[in-house]
Amino acid sequence: MKTNLFQKIMRILLGSFMTLAGIGHLTFQREEFQAQVPRWLPSDPAFMDFVVLSSGIVEISLGLAMIFLWKHQVKVGIILAVFYVLIFPGNISQYTNEISAFGLDTNQKRLIRLFFQPVLILWALWSTGALKYLLNRKQK
């Protein structure tokens, strides 16, 4: 699926953000990311750390795939969009349990964060041409 220059730039930018976020999971933002582990999962610190570390590895992998696997960009975009859907319960948990992290220290800020997730999903799909692919596929 062909994408224009702006989409390519936005795909690489999103990939860079994902890679940096993944590195944060593994290092300097590890505790902050634990705030987003849904509270309905086991609260054992070792398990929560495992969730953060494993999601960080996934984020780095997806970020690098967004940047370098341009021949598979539609698949990568769809996988990243699905990943954003899968991690959304963590954002909901952070809001409903009033957990402060990443400067989200009020219910209003945490609620606004929830509305950013669909933007990330659309960004992943649009920047990789996956949105156009899915819409064209649906019309057939």
Side-chain angles (χ1 to χ4, degrees):
M1 188 68 49
K2 287 274 188 186
T3 55
N4 63 41
L5 179 61
F6 184 60
Q7 284 174 295
K8 291 174 185 173
I9 291 168
M10 295 304 288
R11 175 179 50 80
I12 292 168
L13 184 62
L14 183 56
S16 299
F17 287 151
M18 288 298 297
T19 303
L20 181 60
I23 292 168
H25 275 74
L26 304 180
T27 58
F28 62 98
Q29 292 178 312
R30 202 157 156 181
E31 284 186 37
E32 296 278 319
F33 278 109
Q34 288 181 2
Q36 293 187 326
V37 176
R39 294 304 181 240
W40 46 265
L41 291 174
S43 60
D44 174 57
F47 177 78
M48 292 177 74
D49 199 41
F50 169 76
V51 171
V52 170
L53 292 173
S54 58
S55 62
I57 292 167
V58 171
E59 286 192 9
I60 291 169
S61 300
L62 287 170
L64 293 175
M66 286 286 284
I67 296 168
F68 297 110
L69 297 181
W70 55 270
K71 287 186 179 185
H72 302 282
Q73 66 186 12
V74 169
K75 290 176 189 171
V76 173
I78 292 169
I79 293 168
L80 181 55
V82 168
F83 176 77
Y84 286 143
V85 170
L86 293 175
I87 64 170
F88 192 58
N91 298 335
I92 294 170
S93 174
Q94 184 179 6
Y95 171 70
T96 59
N97 292 296
E98 299 181 345
I99 300 168
S100 296
F102 300 109
L104 304 174
D105 53 5
T106 67
N107 282 337
Q108 181 181 13
K109 289 178 184 177
R110 289 184 284 266
L111 180 63
I112 290 169
R113 167 65 179 92
L114 295 178
F115 291 98
F116 189 63
Q117 202 72 10
V119 173
L120 288 173
I121 292 166
L122 286 173
W123 186 354
L125 294 173
W126 170 79
S127 68
T128 59
L131 185 60
K132 186 176 182 179
Y133 169 81
L134 292 171
L135 291 173
N136 287 342
R137 189 168 177 229
K138 187 176 180 180
Q139 291 174 356
K140 292 181 182 180

